[in-house]
Each structure stands twice: as structure tokens, then as C-alpha cells.
Amino acid sequence: MAVGVACACAMAVVLPVAVTFAAGILGATVTLRRRRSLARRALAMQAAALQSALDVLTGELRVGAHPVAAFEVAAREVDGPVAESLRGVAARARLGDYGIMARRSRPAVVLGEWATGSANGAGRAR
């Protein structure tokens, strides 16, 4: 990084403004394309890991494994963010977290409506 800044300063002093500007645009373009290429490669690796994990998960469920155990096996078979997500799913399932109901902004109101049936118009008598 420091070398690039030093080269840019030297170019600005020695070369014409148009050449310096063109070199800056070229450097920015190369840097942006490199970052996008690395991001695309990382995304492809994650997609392959997800496909592998889903294959393992499907296989485990087909042989009759408990879903939580199947998620744990799939998490052990892959690595990276996919494995972390699968471990999280297995951990939440073991603890009894059933997804969106636990993450609502007003869980007491939602659960109260569910328990009394007031969301469907079958609430308590007034």
C-alpha cells in the first residue's frame, strides 16, 4: 500500500496529468476486478459446500437419522460459514427454538394471540 502511494506521488510529479489520471483509473479497475473475482470464487466454494452438506443431510434423513443428528453430521462434513450455520440450526433445534416465533419483536403479544385465538377472531368474550 505504501509503495503504491509513493508511486502515485512520483507519477503525479513526473508525468502529465492525463497519464497519471489514466494510471489511477487502471489501478482502480484492476483492484476492483480482483476483489470481485475473489468474492465470486468464495461464493462458488460456499455453494459447493452447501450442496455437499445438503447431500449429506438428505442421506442421513433417508436412513432414518433424527433431523438434529443429521444436521450435526452435515456440519461435521463441511467447513466454513455453511458448517457454522448448520451447527447453529442443530443447536437451536436441540434447545427448542422453533424459528420465527422466538424472533418476533413482540413475542408476548404473538403468543397471547395464539393462545387465545384472538388473531382469528375467536378471542375472549367481552
Side-chain angles (χ1 to χ4, degrees):
M1 181 74 172
V3 174
V5 172
C7 288
C9 290
M11 285 178 58
V13 172
V14 176
L15 297 175
V17 174
V19 174
T20 304
F21 186 67
I25 290 175
L26 178 67
T29 302
V30 168
T31 302
L32 183 64
R33 290 178 63 99
R34 174 79 175 149
R35 285 183 183 170
R36 284 184 181 168
S37 173
L38 291 173
R40 224 177 289 124
R41 190 174 302 140
L43 186 61
M45 289 176 62
Q46 287 180 9
L50 180 60
Q51 182 179 2
S52 175
L54 290 174
D55 286 342
V56 170
L57 184 64
T58 303
E60 289 292 317
L61 291 173
R62 280 186 181 160
V63 297
H66 189 273
V68 174
F71 272 97
E72 289 171 345
V73 169
R76 282 194 303 264
E77 293 292 322
V78 296
D79 56 349
V82 174
E84 292 174 20
S85 295
L86 292 173
R87 278 189 217 101
V89 168
R92 283 191 301 276
R94 256 187 271 113
L95 293 174
D97 181 6
Y98 294 103
I100 196 163
M101 288 297 283
R103 289 183 197 76
R104 297 259 178 148
S105 58
R106 301 173 297 136
V109 173
V110 172
L111 292 175
E113 288 175 357
W114 177 75
T116 62
S118 61
N120 296 326
R124 292 175 277 179
R126 294 178 193 181

